């Protein structure tokens, strides 16, 4: 049986017709290798941002349904153009949107999860020898409503398609050469990782490494899809392979450092110290589909029998979070709600830190030496994150990258910009 390769090209790779021609060549090259090819594309360049801006010019808080209707049009343009470019080069190609394929999602607007992908139409067209171009980022509910998977969601579309089709590999083409130990724009001698585990990549993606949509890595891990991040321009460079941790040799305790400046911290002050307080806050936020990251509850104050609950969210959810908390303030019987979005989360990630003491203390000492104050700390088995002032984030990344010996001798050659996720 022929192997299926899923390729994904982001907005910068299809930003204009010249670039689309270039993508067509890369697609054809894979087809010429004797593989069946399914290509997933994002909207051209900054189309999605532009569409978002237009909607916000009309309304401060446009409805989720209409936003999804609007944003899904971006990918509609790029799939047809790429199919035209492939056909013009003499190959058979067909484009499909999510509705035509049957990329089924839950009934949630703006960050729906994929629940199922129908493969009949895809298999039929692959068997006819066609290259298939599928719209990333979008899905459809059982009722035929259009949804989107969240900004940067085309990566997830690609991995989910690879899983559904039992593909040999999913190649994410981008304008950087792979996954680096940190953002090479901040640290020019960051090293490219040849391999990284799903677990580490997932933590890095959540920690703000803007290379892959976190959910795409989750899906790859769940279905064991080998994932490669590679350059659209340097086709002979194999980029970074993302695989299971069991398949890797681990040399260093820390694999990468990342910063996420798109976070906001909320402190709900004077929350009664009794069962159900935290449940009230976080179940309401969950109902609104707001993801919470770090959570800290302070030690209770004796006289008032209250404590403070602090947590972080993505800044894009800030308005919704404040509205939600205002709605439960009376029920909760809490005090003031404080908001601070002048913060950033800096994280170190590595499967090699398991059972190796001293990594956290090295991180804290390094930040202290730089005079950087830590506002919150959270940890997982393979990650330590510190919340710091936003204007200190880059300094923190540089110092941590150095202390954990992640630099390489050469200065990384970085063309273009990292994709926005
Ligand atoms: N076009 C969408 C976005 O800009 C999806 C993607 O690029 O992956 O977020
Ligand atoms: Mg992207």
């Amino acid at each position: 049986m022929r192997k299926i390769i899923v390729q994904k090209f982001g907005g910068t790779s299809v930003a204009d017709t010249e670039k689309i021609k270039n993508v067509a060549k890369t697609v054809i090259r894979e087809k010429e290798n004797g593989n069946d090819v399914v290509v997933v594309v994002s909207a051209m360049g900054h189309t999605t941002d532009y569409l978002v801006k237009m909607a916000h010019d009309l309304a401060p808080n446009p409805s989720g349904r209409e936003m999804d209707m609007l944003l899904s049009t971006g990918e509609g343009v790029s799939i047809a153009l790429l199919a035209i470019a492939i056909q013009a080069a003499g190959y058979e190609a067909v484009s499909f949107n999510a509705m035509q394929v049957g990329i089924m999602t839950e009934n949630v607007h703006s960050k729906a999860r994929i629940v199922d992908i129908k493969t009949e139409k895809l298999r039929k067209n692959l068997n006819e020898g066609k290259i298939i171009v599928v719209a990333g980022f979008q899905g459809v509910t059982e009722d035929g409503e259009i949804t989107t998977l969240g900004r940067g969601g085309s990566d997830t579309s690609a991995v989910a398609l690879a899983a559904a089709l039992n593909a040999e590999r999913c190649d994410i083409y981008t304008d950087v050469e792979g996954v680096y130990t940190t953002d090479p724009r901040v640290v020019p001698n960051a090293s490219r990782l040849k391999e990284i585990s799903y677990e580490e990549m997932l933590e890095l993606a959540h920690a703000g490494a803007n290379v892959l949509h976190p959910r795409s890595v989750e899906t790859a891990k769940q279905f064991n899809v080998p994932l490669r991040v590679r350059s659209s321009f340097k086709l002979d460079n194999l980029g970074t392979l993302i695989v299971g941790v069991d398949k890797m040799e681990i040399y260093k305790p820390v694999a990468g450092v990342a910063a996420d400046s798109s976070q906001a911290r909320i402190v709900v002050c004077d929350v009664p110290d009794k069962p159900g307080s935290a449940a009230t806050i976080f179940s309401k936020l969950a109902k609104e589909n707001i993801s919470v990251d770090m959570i800290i509850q302070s030690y209770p104050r004796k006289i008032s029998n209250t404590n403070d609950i602090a947590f972080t969210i993505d800044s894009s959810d800030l308005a919704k979070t404040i509205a939600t908390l205002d709605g439960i303030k009376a029920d909760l019987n809490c005090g003031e709600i404080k908001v601070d979005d002048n913060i950033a989360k800096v994280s170190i990630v590595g499967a090699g830190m398991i059972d190796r003491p001293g990594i956290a203390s090295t991180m804290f000492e390094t930040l202290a030496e730089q005079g950087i104050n830590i506002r919150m700390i959270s940890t997982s088995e393979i990650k330590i994150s510190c919340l710091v002032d936003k204007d200190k984030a880059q300094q923190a990344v540089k110092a941590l990258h150095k202390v954990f010996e992640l630099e390489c001798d050469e200065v990384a050659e970085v063309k273009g910009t990292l994709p926005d996720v």
Side-chain angles (χ1 to χ4, degrees), residues 28-274:
I28 289 166
R29 183 175 136 130
E30 198 63 75
K31 176 82 181 159
E32 284 292 320
N33 283 342
N35 296 313
D36 280 342
V37 188
V38 176
V39 195
V40 174
V41 281
S42 300
M44 293 171 73
H46 294 290
T47 304
T48 313
D49 291 335
Y50 176 63
L51 295 171
V52 170
K53 187 183 172 303
M54 282 202 291
H56 285 123
D57 283 349
L58 298 171
N61 206 359
S63 80
R65 181 186 187 277
E66 298 315 322
M67 282 309 281
D68 280 355
M69 287 299 283
L70 176 68
L71 299 193
S72 66
T73 61
E75 274 69 14
V77 173
S78 47
I79 52 169
L81 288 176
L82 179 58
I84 290 170
I86 298 170
Q87 289 167 356
Y91 288 76
E92 276 198 86
V94 58
S95 69
F96 294 127
N97 63 27
M99 201 178 239
Q100 289 169 301
V101 173
I103 301 182
M104 312 307 297
T105 72
E106 54 184 13
N107 197 359
V108 175
H109 286 296
S110 89
K111 44 179 158 178
R113 282 176 180 270
I114 296 175
V115 292
D116 186 30
I117 296 185
K118 313 262 187 258
T119 54
E120 299 86 63
K121 200 177 193 128
L122 299 173
R123 291 207 186 275
K124 179 173 169 286
N125 281 275
L126 287 177
N127 288 340
E128 288 167 5
K130 289 181 192 146
I131 293 168
I132 302 181
V133 187
V134 180
F137 178 54
Q138 50 179 255
V140 63
T141 69
E142 264 191 5
D143 304 334
E145 287 294 305
I146 302 283
T147 53
T148 61
L149 311 182
R151 296 301 308 272
S154 300
D155 295 340
T156 301
S157 310
V159 176
L161 276 160
L165 290 166
N166 213 350
E168 177 76 6
R169 207 177 60 236
C170 181
D171 282 345
I172 307 279
Y173 285 88
T174 175
D175 56 358
V176 290
E177 284 173 40
V179 180
Y180 286 83
T181 48
T182 196
D183 185 339
R185 289 170 303 182
V186 177
V187 181
N189 58 353
S191 341
R192 177 170 60 81
L193 297 160
K194 282 211 179 73
E195 270 186 358
I196 186 169
S197 65
Y198 297 126
E199 292 77 1
E200 290 165 312
M201 192 63 234
L202 202 53
E203 292 282 18
L204 276 178
H206 278 300
N210 280 352
V211 188
L212 287 171
H213 194 232
R215 215 181 287 158
S216 69
V217 187
E218 241 169 68
T219 311
K221 174 170 182 258
Q222 189 180 349
F223 296 98
N224 236 327
V225 178
L227 194 60
R228 205 181 263 294
V229 176
R230 59 195 302 180
S231 161
S232 321
F233 308 106
K234 292 197 177 166
L235 298 180
D236 295 326
N237 184 331
L238 289 178
T240 302
L241 185 65
I242 307 166
V243 288
V245 72
D246 48 323
K247 301 207 175 87
M248 289 182 37
E249 300 242 10
I250 294 164
Y251 302 105
K252 287 186 181 172
V254 173
V257 182
D260 181 356
S261 298
S262 65
Q263 295 244 315
R265 179 172 76 151
I266 313 278
V267 188
V268 187
C269 301
D270 306 317
V271 182
D273 186 35
K274 60 166 200 216

Side-chain angles (χ1 to χ4, degrees), residues 135-415:
F137 178 54
Q138 50 179 255
V140 63
T141 69
E142 264 191 5
D143 304 334
E145 287 294 305
I146 302 283
T147 53
T148 61
L149 311 182
R151 296 301 308 272
S154 300
D155 295 340
T156 301
S157 310
V159 176
L161 276 160
L165 290 166
N166 213 350
E168 177 76 6
R169 207 177 60 236
C170 181
D171 282 345
I172 307 279
Y173 285 88
T174 175
D175 56 358
V176 290
E177 284 173 40
V179 180
Y180 286 83
T181 48
T182 196
D183 185 339
R185 289 170 303 182
V186 177
V187 181
N189 58 353
S191 341
R192 177 170 60 81
L193 297 160
K194 282 211 179 73
E195 270 186 358
I196 186 169
S197 65
Y198 297 126
E199 292 77 1
E200 290 165 312
M201 192 63 234
L202 202 53
E203 292 282 18
L204 276 178
H206 278 300
N210 280 352
V211 188
L212 287 171
H213 194 232
R215 215 181 287 158
S216 69
V217 187
E218 241 169 68
T219 311
K221 174 170 182 258
Q222 189 180 349
F223 296 98
N224 236 327
V225 178
L227 194 60
R228 205 181 263 294
V229 176
R230 59 195 302 180
S231 161
S232 321
F233 308 106
K234 292 197 177 166
L235 298 180
D236 295 326
N237 184 331
L238 289 178
T240 302
L241 185 65
I242 307 166
V243 288
V245 72
D246 48 323
K247 301 207 175 87
M248 289 182 37
E249 300 242 10
I250 294 164
Y251 302 105
K252 287 186 181 172
V254 173
V257 182
D260 181 356
S261 298
S262 65
Q263 295 244 315
R265 179 172 76 151
I266 313 278
V267 188
V268 187
C269 301
D270 306 317
V271 182
D273 186 35
K274 60 166 200 216
S277 289
T280 306
I281 298 175
F282 296 108
S283 61
K284 269 281 184 262
L285 294 173
K287 264 201 200 100
E288 294 297 325
N289 219 359
I290 297 166
S291 306
V292 172
D293 188 17
M294 300 168 143
I295 302 178
I296 289 183
Q297 178 177 305
S298 70
Y299 196 71
R301 281 176 283 265
K302 268 224 174 89
I303 298 168
S304 60
N305 200 29
T306 60
N307 53 37
D308 297 337
I309 297 183
F311 58 91
T312 62
I313 48 157
D314 206 89
S315 324
S316 61
D317 284 331
L318 187 54
K320 208 157 81 171
T321 304
I322 295 171
T324 308
L325 292 174
D326 279 343
I328 57 170
K329 210 172 160 190
D331 272 357
L332 196 60
N333 195 17
C334 64
E336 198 190 343
I337 295 170
K338 291 187 190 154
V339 176
D340 183 359
D341 60 0
N342 206 5
I343 50 146
K345 181 178 67 172
V346 175
S347 310
I348 57 172
V349 172
M353 68 172 77
I354 298 175
D355 292 333
R356 209 183 292 207
I359 305 299
S361 61
T362 304
M363 180 177 193
F364 305 151
E365 274 160 21
T366 306
L367 294 178
E369 274 159 22
Q370 298 288 320
I372 298 172
N373 194 24
I374 302 172
R375 316 261 298 263
M376 273 170 112
I377 299 170
S378 77
T379 60
S380 79
E381 231 186 355
I382 61 165
K383 182 188 75 174
I384 306 167
S385 300
C386 294
L387 207 63
V388 301
D389 288 342
K390 199 179 252 176
D391 61 357
K392 293 279 178 4
Q394 293 207 353
Q395 187 189 341
V397 167
K398 283 184 187 140
L400 293 168
H401 192 266
K402 187 153 196 209
V403 80
F404 289 109
E405 298 177 350
L406 298 174
E407 297 156 313
C408 71
D409 300 337
E410 296 150 43
V411 167
E413 202 189 330
V414 191
K415 296 241 172 66

